[in-house]
Amino acid sequence: SLSQRHGYCTLGEAFNRLDFSSAIQDIRRFNYVVKLLQLIAKSQLTSLSGAAQKNYFNILDKIVQKVMEDQYNPRLIKDLLQDLSSTLCILIRGVGKSVLVGNINIWICRLETILLWQQQLKNLQMNKQVNNGLTLSDLPLHMLNNILYRFSDGWDIITLGQVTPTLYMLSEDRQLWKKLCQYHFAENQFCRHLIPSEKGHIDWKLMYFALQKYYPIKEQYGDTLHFCRHCSILFWKDTGHPCTASDPNTCLMPVSPQHFIDLFKF
């Protein structure tokens, strides 16, 4: 199998050896690592060894501290902590089945830490940037519109729309939400969930959030892990690796966070 060929036998072993602590310091890899931690929280926590579980919480601690300091993407971390606390509550209640590695008190402490982190993120105040130069509001309409069309997450569009009345007007544009739906979902998926507005048009904004509940959205990452079939090695795409194949590009395979976990399912 693929997991045996790239030298790691378990998810925990790969998780320990790929140095995700350094990866979260790179903004291009941050979202990828957070998504991976979230998927592990949802279904793979009990498959990690004690050392891997400890490493998991160390990385999570660094992620939370980074978000508190840099105020970068708190919503993403809130979702991760919500999934993790839900899983831990279920696992702690089922401790008689010995599903967790280590002392139950350690896990109760970890859960308390997660609840504390959640409270800190809830109280997080965004720093106001003092800037006497050009601001977002000074940009012409077509440029602001261009920025909104670059977003791939509906919640980011809504958040940006709360900044100024002009951005709110642009963020409510039907065409913007239609493009977002078309980017993430197939046409046969639309047909099952058509939501007409009061005027009889399709409400694309509502459609996006309805479809999101039923189907996975496309994921975008600045840098992703890649697998080289020729060398049987996992590496970050931006870092690359010294491949000995005659045409290295034909050997590369992008590895999404879900695919990473699937590599270790026997």
Side-chain angles (χ1 to χ4, degrees):
S1 82
L2 187 54
S3 55
Q4 287 164 327
R5 282 192 285 118
H6 55 56
Y8 313 121
C9 293
T10 65
L11 175 65
E13 202 181 343
F15 189 76
N16 287 345
R17 285 172 59 186
L18 278 163
D19 191 14
F20 288 115
S21 289
S22 299
I24 60 166
Q25 301 310 321
D26 186 331
I27 200 163
R28 294 162 305 164
R29 297 171 186 173
F30 183 86
N31 288 12
Y32 184 100
V33 179
V34 172
K35 182 67 178 178
L36 180 58
L37 261 67
Q38 186 173 13
L39 291 173
I40 290 172
K42 281 181 170 179
S43 64
Q44 300 299 313
L45 211 53
T46 54
S47 73
L48 300 183
S49 66
Q53 287 174 351
K54 193 174 178 183
N55 187 27
Y56 180 98
F57 280 93
N58 285 340
I59 294 168
L60 186 55
D61 185 18
K62 287 177 183 169
I63 286 172
V64 174
Q65 299 323 314
K66 185 174 172 61
V67 173
M68 297 300 292
E69 286 163 25
D70 302 349
Q71 297 162 353
Y72 177 72
N73 216 337
R75 180 166 47 82
L76 201 63
I77 317 308
K78 285 176 185 175
D79 288 348
L80 162 58
L81 293 179
Q82 187 55 53
D83 286 338
L84 184 57
S85 60
S86 300
T87 300
L88 277 188
C89 285
I90 293 163
L91 293 177
I92 287 169
R93 281 201 294 269
V95 80
K97 302 182 184 77
S98 301
V99 290
L100 293 168
V101 178
N103 189 306
I104 182 65
N105 294 322
I106 292 170
W107 286 98
I108 290 168
C109 281
R110 282 173 176 164
L111 185 56
E112 285 172 353
T113 302
I114 292 163
L115 296 173
L116 178 68
W117 286 336
Q118 285 176 313
Q119 197 56 49
Q120 287 174 337
L121 286 166
K122 195 176 173 185
N123 299 332
L124 181 64
Q125 295 291 314
M126 294 295 181
N127 292 336
K128 275 210 165 181
Q129 300 292 321
V130 179
N131 191 341
N132 300 321
L134 192 72
T135 68
L136 200 60
S137 307
D138 299 321
L139 294 175
L141 277 181
H142 74 274
M143 286 182 77
L144 290 174
N145 215 24
N146 241 330
I147 291 168
L148 281 163
Y149 272 84
R150 295 285 183 279
F151 282 40
S152 64
D153 187 302
W155 284 112
D156 289 338
I157 291 172
I158 286 173
T159 305
L160 188 59
Q162 291 168 346
V163 176
T164 66
T166 303
L167 281 165
Y168 176 74
M169 176 197 74
L170 293 172
S171 74
E172 288 290 302
D173 180 48
R174 283 180 68 243
Q175 200 59 28
L176 174 68
W177 291 96
K178 182 179 180 179
K179 289 274 186 211
L180 196 65
C181 285
Q182 287 171 334
Y183 172 73
H184 284 292
F185 310 107
E187 205 153 317
N188 62 343
Q189 294 170 335
F190 299 166
C191 300
R192 289 179 214 146
H193 302 277
L194 285 177
I195 302 170
S197 67
E198 289 170 15
K199 293 175 184 173
H201 300 125
I202 294 170
D203 191 326
W204 290 103
K205 183 179 171 184
L206 274 181
M207 276 273 287
Y208 169 81
F209 289 105
L211 290 164
Q212 201 185 30
K213 288 178 186 172
Y214 295 101
Y215 310 105
I217 62 171
K218 280 186 190 172
E219 292 174 22
Q220 280 188 334
Y221 302 104
D223 190 13
T224 59
L225 281 174
H226 271 60
F227 178 73
C228 175
R229 295 186 190 92
H230 183 265
C231 306
S232 297
I233 189 170
L234 280 165
F235 61 96
W236 290 102
K237 188 186 177 212
D238 276 11
T239 309
H241 81 289
C243 186
T244 55
S246 54
D247 187 359
N249 288 334
T250 59
C251 310
L252 300 188
M253 182 175 76
V255 178
S256 70
Q258 184 60 60
H259 186 191
F260 181 87
I261 285 173
D262 293 342
L263 292 178
F264 301 93
K265 287 181 178 172
F266 295 104

